[in-house]
Amino acid sequence: DGGITQSPKYLFRKEGQNVTLSCEQNLNHDAMYWYRQDPGQGLRLIYYSQIVNDFQKGDIAEGYSVSREKKESFPLTVTSAQKNPTAFYLCASSIRRGTDTQYFGPGTRLTVL
Amino acid sequence: QKEVEQNSGPLSVPEGAIASLNCTYSDRGSQSFFWYRQYSGKSPELIMSIYSNGDKEDGRFTAQLNKASQYVSLLIRDSQPSDSATYLCAVERAGNNRKLIWGLGTSLAVNP
């Protein structure tokens, strides 16, 4: 059963803590993405990766870090430098970057206490 | 001017009616266009992609693209209460830094 999984579904973080959000796909897609969604602001691109061991900053990368050590996995770390991390985080993948359709995981809702 | 604009709604239609959702974009070089549906608290799911001028039909959904006028629309025929959701338009930005540009979405309510 192919798809994209994200964990955890809900995550609570204390201020000053780093947290890592998991994203795994078994679609054999080359490209993976992280978005952040806030009410009234739409989807904003945090980071993307076109191939293993390569990733690029998106529009709002400050306070976030990623890695792409395996094709299937693209974890996102929300660091303490991210001043307003409470949001809905969405991971997506596509066969290739660019014109290809993006498919989304179920999302992780992060709340800073 | 925003790169991708959608009327935020809410758009309210009675059950069985046609819902019409519109999206305009600013990049004349864009070649790929997508409609996603997002239920409250859930992630976006693809409804349809369209790449050529004209209409593309899939079941109750029809996407319409007019590159000269820079708009793409989504028609939902025989609207059902289960169609109540936010509909996101995404447009590929052309050029060296290709990526999808997302609209803020249109909220649709289908009333029984």
Side-chain angles (χ1 to χ4, degrees):
Chain A
D1 198 15
I4 305 173
T5 58
Q6 291 186 244
S7 62
K9 187 174 181 180
Y10 299 97
L11 186 57
F12 298 90
R13 189 193 93 172
K14 294 181 180 179
E15 285 199 28
Q17 283 183 335
N18 294 352
V19 291
T20 297
L21 282 58
S22 170
C23 177
E24 304 276 333
Q25 54 98 0
N26 61 4
L27 301 168
N28 200 32
H29 285 175
D30 284 331
M32 297 185 74
Y33 313 81
W34 274 104
Y35 290 94
R36 169 180 172 147
Q37 189 175 37
D38 297 275
Q41 294 209 40
L43 292 173
R44 293 186 288 169
L45 184 64
I46 305 172
Y47 268 97
Y48 62 92
S49 168
Q50 299 181 73
I51 56 171
V52 174
N53 293 323
D54 182 65
F55 48 84
Q56 310 293 330
K57 292 182 179 180
D59 301 317
I60 56 165
E62 185 175 351
Y64 300 97
S65 65
V66 293
S67 63
R68 187 88 187 274
E69 297 177 1
K70 298 186 301 181
K71 187 174 184 177
E72 302 79 18
S73 179
F74 191 40
L76 173 75
T77 296
V78 184
T79 75
S80 56
Q82 171 49 236
K83 296 305 178 190
N84 186 21
T86 295
F88 189 38
Y89 289 87
L90 290 159
C91 179
S93 70
S94 63
I95 296 175
R96 295 174 305 273
R97 184 173 171 255
T99 60
D100 291 324
T101 303
Q102 293 184 18
Y103 298 92
F104 286 84
T108 293
R109 192 165 297 279
L110 173 63
T111 302
V112 174
L113 302 174
Chain B
Q1 181 189 7
K2 291 181 181 176
E3 291 187 77
V4 177
E5 293 204 61
Q6 297 182 253
N7 188 326
S8 63
L11 174 65
S12 184
V13 300
E15 184 174 354
I18 296 175
S20 178
L21 305 162
N22 298 313
C23 173
T24 59
Y25 61 94
S26 60
D27 185 351
R28 283 196 168 274
S30 295
Q31 299 293 325
S32 303
F33 307 85
F34 305 87
W35 281 102
Y36 286 80
R37 176 176 62 197
Q38 187 175 26
Y39 292 112
S40 180
K42 303 295 185 182
S43 61
E45 53 182 335
L46 178 74
I47 297 174
M48 192 176 298
S49 58
I50 186 166
Y51 305 96
S52 304
N53 276 330
D55 295 359
K56 179 181 179 182
E57 187 174 318
D58 184 0
R60 296 187 295 113
F61 298 96
T62 299
Q64 299 175 318
L65 176 61
N66 185 321
K67 290 183 180 179
S69 300
Q70 294 175 247
Y71 81 79
V72 55
S73 62
L74 181 70
L75 301 179
I76 306 175
R77 291 182 300 281
D78 189 23
S79 295
Q80 301 297 310
S82 59
D83 294 326
S84 299
T86 296
Y87 289 81
L88 304 176
C89 171
V91 177
E92 176 216 2
R93 177 196 286 162
N96 293 330
N97 187 22
R98 287 182 165 184
K99 68 176 190 179
L100 286 186
I101 307 299
W102 295 83
L104 297 184
T106 297
S107 176
L108 172 66
V110 180
N111 305 307

